[in-house]
Amino acid sequence: MQPRIEPDSTTGTIDIEQIRQDFPALHQQVRGKPLTYLDNAATSQKPKQVIEALSRYYSYQNSNIHRGVYYLSEQATAAYEAARVKAQRFLNAANPAEVVFVRGTTEAINLVASSYGRLVLQPGDEVVISAMEHHSNIVPWQLLCESVGANLRVAPIDTSGTLIISEYEKLLGPRVKIVALVHVSNSLGTINDVKHLVGLAKEQSAVVLIDGAQAAPHMPIDVQDIGCDFYTVSGHKMYGPTGIGVLYGRIELLETMPPYQGGGEMIRSVTFEKTTYAPPPAKFEAGTPHIAGAIGMGVAIEYLEQLGWDFVREQERVLLEYALERLATVPGLQVIGSAESRASVISFTVDGIHAHDIGTIVDQEGVAIRTGHHCTQPIMDFFGVPATARASFAFYNTVEEVDTLTKALMEAREVFG
Ligand code: PMP
């Protein structure tokens, strides 16, 4: 089924109200006010095309995949594998076998750390990350380094929230076996030039993982152009279901890596003496996968493709610029993070009001924003704040919603004097 997005026949522009009609969650009242959903970096809302695909799967196609010889199982298998091809296309991977379905970015990084990390890391080796990583791109590497006696090195950022590339380069030496970097920071919005950063790591023959959880909803991804070995995405942040995501891995690496979990689906043959494994991606998809989730994620990919990146990027650029302008009018408001290249994510503090109080007050106006450390405690420490409030925009947000946020923040100011 096609998304119902057609440019206006006279102006050629896409009507945002028409797009919003695809998202049932956006049309509800919360606390007696129309919902203003500005927590898209935590999870995006879902278009009805995705919701209907899930409902259709459970209503008419539900069956286990890969094993059945009967009609429904063949249909479900074909739909699941078709979703893999859509994800391959979305990431421009060379081969569908390079697309491993996982629960999301967190599982993808844990998979790589546990499987590839344990395979290659020796005591004294190094893993390089950056100071703007999400906890899910810190803790798995810490666990790995602790268990093998390797060292975690952290490339610093400056006060604009930009990676200091000269310092990153200094860390890249012969002991560095793995580099793991975020593409777009979820709390600062910084967009890293991952192609350049990967190139520098490759000069030292390091294997590079890019955490693309916040990039995939906002920009086209080309893993071959970036040159990374692993790339991770979460379906729920890109208009797809929760509990599904993709680990892209270069086939040469996936082939050499040991399984992450053992069980059904990932084997070629099993005896009590010895088990041999299926080739990738099955080797890394033990057990019954999230079949409906993968199918739904495939529909979300098609939805984004139909919208087109030009529209998504332009809409989000307009929202970001307008929001930065409007938020600057709120007395005592400070934006945390001002990198030159940034996505539609704004973290901020307001003098004299704790971030949680900001969130609670604007919620009374129906405005949903995130408050806290955003799973990036080291970033909070770096900026010397316990928490921030964060507004994050999707293409379906409007400038009127930015005004609603600004008004609600002005009211918060009044409450706290
Ligand atoms: N990395 C980044 C940059 C994120 O924003 C998130 C989600 N907040 C994650 C990783 C983890 O993603 P998930 O919870 O979908 O596994």
Side-chain angles (χ1 to χ4, degrees):
M1 189 197 33
Q2 291 296 311
R4 302 181 304 99
I5 302 155
E6 281 156 28
D8 180 277
S9 55
T10 45
T11 64
T13 55
I14 295 178
D15 176 3
I16 197 71
E17 279 313 317
Q18 189 193 343
I19 289 172
R20 286 175 70 85
Q21 288 306 318
D22 285 337
F23 293 83
L26 299 179
H27 305 280
Q28 57 184 312
Q29 302 248 323
V30 294
R31 306 205 190 283
K33 304 277 166 58
L35 172 66
T36 300
Y37 187 76
L38 301 178
D39 194 18
N40 296 285
T43 198
S44 60
Q45 297 302 341
K46 322 301 175 201
K48 14 185 209 234
Q49 290 81 353
V50 169
I51 299 166
E52 284 163 11
L54 296 180
S55 169
R56 207 166 42 246
Y57 170 77
Y58 284 123
S59 302
Y60 304 113
Q61 295 172 322
N62 180 54
S63 56
N64 214 329
I65 54 168
H66 293 149
R67 285 167 274 200
V69 291
Y70 55 89
Y71 180 81
L72 276 194
S73 177
E74 281 175 2
Q75 295 291 303
T77 304
Y80 181 77
E81 292 304 328
R84 197 188 304 281
V85 173
K86 289 174 198 172
Q88 175 204 354
R89 189 174 69 218
F90 184 74
L91 297 170
N92 195 31
N95 178 342
E98 296 183 318
V99 172
V100 179
F101 281 121
V102 288
R103 275 194 298 128
T105 292
T106 304
E107 187 176 38
I109 298 173
N110 276 280
L111 191 165
V112 175
S114 300
S115 170
Y116 183 76
R118 277 172 210 278
L119 181 70
V120 299
L121 236 59
Q122 300 292 326
D125 281 345
E126 294 176 356
V127 175
V128 169
I129 60 172
S130 84
M132 67 172 97
E133 300 307 321
H134 187 278
H135 294 166
S136 64
N137 204 24
I138 301 174
V139 184
W141 305 114
Q142 271 173 339
L143 290 167
L144 172 67
C145 288
E146 275 164 23
S147 76
V148 302
N151 298 309
L152 189 65
R153 299 268 181 255
V154 183
I157 55 175
D158 64 22
T159 50
S160 74
T162 307
L163 187 71
I164 306 173
I165 297 198
S166 55
E167 295 295 325
Y168 166 71
E169 275 189 278
K170 279 188 209 154
L171 291 179
L172 297 173
R175 308 229 67 159
V176 177
K177 295 291 175 337
I178 300 172
V179 172
L181 299 170
V182 73
H183 195 162
V184 174
S185 159
N186 64 308
S187 45
L188 301 168
T190 308
I191 303 176
N192 283 316
D193 181 353
V194 283
K195 185 174 178 179
H196 181 55
L197 299 175
V198 170
L200 293 172
K202 287 286 160 197
E203 284 171 19
Q204 298 294 333
S205 307
V207 156
V208 188
L209 175 143
I210 301 296
D211 166 357
Q214 296 292 345
H218 301 295
M219 61 191 73
I221 307 298
D222 183 337
V223 290
Q224 296 186 70
D225 183 56
I226 293 169
C228 57
D229 301 284
F230 299 106
Y231 195 95
T232 67
V233 299
S234 294
H236 70 97
K237 293 187 196 285
M238 41 177 283
Y239 314 101
T242 53
I244 189 73
V246 163
L247 168 67
Y248 157 79
R250 229 164 20 85
I251 192 73
E252 298 80 8
L253 293 179
L254 292 180
E255 276 167 353
T256 61
M257 284 160 55
Y260 166 59
Q261 293 178 330
E265 292 285 323
M266 49 75 74
I267 54 92
R268 196 189 300 274
S269 72
V270 178
T271 66
F272 287 119
E273 288 71 39
K274 183 163 176 57
T275 293
T276 57
Y277 307 119
K283 181 165 62 169
F284 301 103
E285 293 182 5
T288 302
H290 188 2
I291 306 165
I295 293 170
M297 186 172 173
V299 174
I301 286 171
E302 285 176 331
Y303 188 89
L304 275 168
E305 286 173 343
Q306 165 122 16
L307 273 182
W309 288 116
D310 287 350
F311 165 74
V312 170
R313 299 192 83 175
E314 179 57 11
Q315 177 71 6
E316 293 178 355
R317 186 193 65 75
V318 168
L319 289 165
L320 175 66
E321 270 180 26
Y322 184 66
L324 285 170
E325 203 178 284
R326 296 292 287 130
L327 293 186
T329 65
V330 178
L333 186 145
Q334 267 120 31
V335 172
I336 309 280
S338 53
E340 224 165 86
S341 180
R342 62 185 298 178
S344 52
V345 174
I346 306 177
S347 265
F348 58 92
T349 57
V350 181
D351 288 347
I353 318 181
H354 191 279
H356 289 299
D357 293 330
I358 299 174
T360 308
I361 295 170
V362 302
D363 176 51
Q364 297 307 311
E365 301 303 317
V367 179
I369 57 170
R370 180 131 305 228
T371 58
H373 53 60
H374 319 296
C375 297
T376 54
Q377 280 182 359
I379 295 183
M380 301 297 121
D381 292 345
F382 177 76
F383 285 98
V385 293
T388 70
R390 182 189 70 186
S392 51
F393 304 94
F395 57 79
Y396 49 57
N397 288 125
T398 63
V399 289
E400 289 75 19
E401 289 181 310
V402 174
D403 289 337
T404 305
L405 169 68
T406 312
K407 192 161 161 279
L409 290 170
M410 292 290 194
E411 279 161 19
R413 273 248 58 116
E414 274 164 33
V415 172
F416 281 82

